[in-house]
PDB file of all heavy atoms in Angstrom:
ATOM      1  N   LEU A 324      39.806  50.283  74.562  1.00  0.00           N
ATOM      2  CA  LEU A 324      38.782  50.644  75.625  1.00  0.00           C
ATOM      3  C   LEU A 324      38.821  49.431  76.652  1.00  0.00           C
ATOM      4  O   LEU A 324      38.612  49.797  77.872  1.00  0.00           O
ATOM      5  CB  LEU A 324      37.413  50.539  74.948  1.00  0.00           C
ATOM      6  CG  LEU A 324      37.211  51.819  74.098  1.00  0.00           C
ATOM      7  CD1 LEU A 324      35.739  51.794  73.467  1.00  0.00           C
ATOM      8  CD2 LEU A 324      37.227  53.125  74.976  1.00  0.00           C
ATOM      9  N   ARG A 325      38.930  48.127  76.362  1.00  0.00           N
ATOM     10  CA  ARG A 325      38.998  47.042  77.242  1.00  0.00           C
ATOM     11  C   ARG A 325      40.286  47.170  78.139  1.00  0.00           C
ATOM     12  O   ARG A 325      40.038  47.101  79.324  1.00  0.00           O
ATOM     13  CB  ARG A 325      39.235  45.759  76.425  1.00  0.00           C
ATOM     14  CG  ARG A 325      37.991  45.291  75.749  1.00  0.00           C
ATOM     15  CD  ARG A 325      38.194  44.227  74.581  1.00  0.00           C
ATOM     16  NE  ARG A 325      39.073  43.165  75.000  1.00  0.00           N
ATOM     17  CZ  ARG A 325      38.535  42.008  75.574  1.00  0.00           C
ATOM     18  NH1 ARG A 325      37.339  41.826  75.828  1.00  0.00           N
ATOM     19  NH2 ARG A 325      39.348  41.058  75.941  1.00  0.00           N
ATOM     20  N   ALA A 326      41.433  47.523  77.538  1.00  0.00           N
ATOM     21  CA  ALA A 326      42.740  47.621  78.369  1.00  0.00           C
ATOM     22  C   ALA A 326      42.486  48.675  79.375  1.00  0.00           C
ATOM     23  O   ALA A 326      42.756  48.557  80.483  1.00  0.00           O
ATOM     24  CB  ALA A 326      43.761  47.900  77.444  1.00  0.00           C
ATOM     25  N   HIS A 327      41.973  49.894  78.931  1.00  0.00           N
ATOM     26  CA  HIS A 327      41.812  51.057  79.816  1.00  0.00           C
ATOM     27  C   HIS A 327      40.756  50.734  81.015  1.00  0.00           C
ATOM     28  O   HIS A 327      40.894  51.095  82.148  1.00  0.00           O
ATOM     29  CB  HIS A 327      41.497  52.272  79.174  1.00  0.00           C
ATOM     30  CG  HIS A 327      42.658  52.884  78.405  1.00  0.00           C
ATOM     31  ND1 HIS A 327      43.763  53.489  79.044  1.00  0.00           N
ATOM     32  CD2 HIS A 327      42.966  52.783  77.085  1.00  0.00           C
ATOM     33  CE1 HIS A 327      44.627  53.785  78.140  1.00  0.00           C
ATOM     34  NE2 HIS A 327      44.197  53.439  76.936  1.00  0.00           N
ATOM     35  N   ALA A 328      39.643  50.014  80.622  1.00  0.00           N
ATOM     36  CA  ALA A 328      38.734  49.742  81.758  1.00  0.00           C
ATOM     37  C   ALA A 328      39.314  48.845  82.687  1.00  0.00           C
ATOM     38  O   ALA A 328      38.982  48.944  83.892  1.00  0.00           O
ATOM     39  CB  ALA A 328      37.534  48.964  80.967  1.00  0.00           C
ATOM     40  N   PHE A 329      40.261  47.830  82.256  1.00  0.00           N
ATOM     41  CA  PHE A 329      40.844  46.807  83.156  1.00  0.00           C
ATOM     42  C   PHE A 329      41.954  47.468  83.970  1.00  0.00           C
ATOM     43  O   PHE A 329      42.166  47.127  85.123  1.00  0.00           O
ATOM     44  CB  PHE A 329      41.412  45.682  82.463  1.00  0.00           C
ATOM     45  CG  PHE A 329      40.291  44.932  81.648  1.00  0.00           C
ATOM     46  CD1 PHE A 329      40.725  44.132  80.555  1.00  0.00           C
ATOM     47  CD2 PHE A 329      38.929  44.982  81.939  1.00  0.00           C
ATOM     48  CE1 PHE A 329      39.798  43.391  79.743  1.00  0.00           C
ATOM     49  CE2 PHE A 329      38.077  44.241  81.182  1.00  0.00           C
ATOM     50  CZ  PHE A 329      38.428  43.546  80.185  1.00  0.00           C
ATOM     51  N   TYR A 330      42.535  48.450  83.397  1.00  0.00           N
ATOM     52  CA  TYR A 330      43.740  49.071  84.012  1.00  0.00           C
ATOM     53  C   TYR A 330      43.281  49.962  85.223  1.00  0.00           C
ATOM     54  O   TYR A 330      43.814  49.806  86.374  1.00  0.00           O
ATOM     55  CB  TYR A 330      44.700  49.852  83.129  1.00  0.00           C
ATOM     56  CG  TYR A 330      45.998  50.196  83.621  1.00  0.00           C
ATOM     57  CD1 TYR A 330      46.978  49.257  83.871  1.00  0.00           C
ATOM     58  CD2 TYR A 330      46.172  51.520  83.898  1.00  0.00           C
ATOM     59  CE1 TYR A 330      48.076  49.491  84.384  1.00  0.00           C
ATOM     60  CE2 TYR A 330      47.555  51.871  84.570  1.00  0.00           C
ATOM     61  CZ  TYR A 330      48.471  50.933  84.782  1.00  0.00           C
ATOM     62  OH  TYR A 330      49.598  51.209  85.303  1.00  0.00           O
ATOM     63  N   ASP A 331      42.494  50.961  84.872  1.00  0.00           N
ATOM     64  CA  ASP A 331      42.120  51.906  85.917  1.00  0.00           C
ATOM     65  C   ASP A 331      40.731  52.536  85.643  1.00  0.00           C
ATOM     66  O   ASP A 331      40.470  53.582  85.869  1.00  0.00           O
ATOM     67  CB  ASP A 331      43.054  52.980  86.058  1.00  0.00           C
ATOM     68  CG  ASP A 331      43.287  53.954  84.846  1.00  0.00           C
ATOM     69  OD1 ASP A 331      42.721  53.490  83.832  1.00  0.00           O
ATOM     70  OD2 ASP A 331      44.008  54.805  84.941  1.00  0.00           O
ATOM     71  N   GLY A 332      39.863  51.646  85.017  1.00  0.00           N
ATOM     72  CA  GLY A 332      38.557  51.959  84.724  1.00  0.00           C
ATOM     73  C   GLY A 332      37.510  51.844  85.828  1.00  0.00           C
ATOM     74  O   GLY A 332      37.863  51.684  87.097  1.00  0.00           O
ATOM     75  N   PRO A 333      36.173  51.873  85.499  1.00  0.00           N
ATOM     76  CA  PRO A 333      35.186  51.723  86.634  1.00  0.00           C
ATOM     77  C   PRO A 333      35.388  50.442  87.392  1.00  0.00           C
ATOM     78  O   PRO A 333      35.808  49.308  86.934  1.00  0.00           O
ATOM     79  CB  PRO A 333      33.942  51.581  85.737  1.00  0.00           C
ATOM     80  CG  PRO A 333      34.183  52.344  84.541  1.00  0.00           C
ATOM     81  CD  PRO A 333      35.553  52.046  84.230  1.00  0.00           C
ATOM     82  N   ALA A 334      35.083  50.536  88.680  1.00  0.00           N
ATOM     83  CA  ALA A 334      35.540  49.460  89.682  1.00  0.00           C
ATOM     84  C   ALA A 334      34.811  48.174  89.406  1.00  0.00           C
ATOM     85  O   ALA A 334      35.364  47.056  89.697  1.00  0.00           O
ATOM     86  CB  ALA A 334      35.201  49.916  91.061  1.00  0.00           C
ATOM     87  N   GLN A 335      33.597  48.166  88.746  1.00  0.00           N
ATOM     88  CA  GLN A 335      32.990  46.991  88.535  1.00  0.00           C
ATOM     89  C   GLN A 335      33.632  45.990  87.519  1.00  0.00           C
ATOM     90  O   GLN A 335      33.137  44.891  87.338  1.00  0.00           O
ATOM     91  CB  GLN A 335      31.512  47.160  88.149  1.00  0.00           C
ATOM     92  CG  GLN A 335      31.288  47.770  86.595  1.00  0.00           C
ATOM     93  CD  GLN A 335      31.073  49.172  86.651  1.00  0.00           C
ATOM     94  OE1 GLN A 335      31.691  49.991  87.536  1.00  0.00           O
ATOM     95  NE2 GLN A 335      30.460  49.748  85.670  1.00  0.00           N
ATOM     96  N   TYR A 336      34.600  46.488  86.696  1.00  0.00           N
ATOM     97  CA  TYR A 336      35.176  45.621  85.765  1.00  0.00           C
ATOM     98  C   TYR A 336      36.430  44.903  86.292  1.00  0.00           C
ATOM     99  O   TYR A 336      37.053  44.163  85.476  1.00  0.00           O
ATOM    100  CB  TYR A 336      35.495  46.444  84.533  1.00  0.00           C
ATOM    101  CG  TYR A 336      34.336  47.090  83.846  1.00  0.00           C
ATOM    102  CD1 TYR A 336      34.208  48.412  83.551  1.00  0.00           C
ATOM    103  CD2 TYR A 336      33.161  46.313  83.582  1.00  0.00           C
ATOM    104  CE1 TYR A 336      33.060  48.984  83.121  1.00  0.00           C
ATOM    105  CE2 TYR A 336      32.019  46.742  83.029  1.00  0.00           C
ATOM    106  CZ  TYR A 336      31.982  48.217  82.777  1.00  0.00           C
ATOM    107  OH  TYR A 336      30.814  48.673  82.267  1.00  0.00           O
TER     108      TYR A 336
END
Side-chain angles (χ1 to χ4, degrees):
L324 290 174
R325 287 160 52 84
H327 287 286
F329 303 156
Y330 191 73
D331 61 355
Q335 70 262 32
Y336 299 129

